[in-house]
């Protein structure tokens, strides 16, 4: 069963390689979607794929790269109509 979810990742997550790290993890899990910085200093990610792999990515997201400090992740369930073809870093 496929699942799509939006994550708002809070903490020290900009300027520490978080987006590049997130992209590498998502590609490893063969997930689709995007990751981008928000003006608020948070990182937004939308991930779509098999439910177990999406959950795995959420768990990985709490750690992040070595220089990141994740304080909180807000999860928002999305409609399955999202049809992402790739995973990318968005502007």
């Amino acid at each position: 069963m496929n699942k799509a979810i939006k994550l708002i990742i809070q903490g020290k997550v900009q300027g520490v390689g978080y987006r590049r790290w997130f992209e590498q993890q998502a590609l490893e899990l063969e997930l689709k979607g995007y990751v981008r910085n928000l003006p608020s200093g948070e990182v937004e990610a939308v991930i779509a794929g098999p439910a177990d792999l999406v959950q795995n990515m959420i768990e990985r997201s709490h750690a992040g790269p070595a220089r990141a400090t994740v304080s909180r992740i807000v999860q928002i369930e999305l409609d399955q109509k999202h049809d992402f073809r790739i995973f990318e870093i968005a502007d």
Side-chain angles (χ1 to χ4, degrees):
M1 179 171 154
N2 282 346
K3 181 176 185 174
I5 194 160
K6 179 186 285 186
L7 306 176
I8 304 297
I9 302 141
Q10 302 171 341
K12 183 181 175 188
V13 291
Q14 289 191 16
V16 293
Y18 194 92
R19 288 178 304 155
R20 179 74 54 210
W21 173 87
F22 195 100
E23 178 190 40
Q24 291 170 346
Q25 301 298 308
L27 290 172
E28 180 181 306
L29 293 171
E30 299 182 0
L31 296 171
K32 310 296 185 219
Y34 68 85
V35 63
R36 68 179 177 175
N37 284 338
L38 296 176
S40 62
E42 300 164 318
V43 168
E44 174 186 86
V46 172
I47 50 177
D52 60 328
L53 298 179
V54 168
Q55 185 59 42
N56 186 306
M57 186 67 220
I58 293 168
E59 291 167 12
R60 293 182 186 200
S61 299
H62 286 279
R67 297 182 338 187
T69 304
V70 176
S71 59
R72 181 170 182 237
I73 298 179
V74 177
Q75 299 180 38
I76 303 161
E77 295 282 335
L78 298 177
D79 191 325
Q80 290 298 312
K81 293 177 186 171
H82 289 80
D83 186 28
F84 299 105
R85 297 191 188 335
I86 61 170
F87 192 89
E88 63 184 339
I89 296 177
D91 293 330

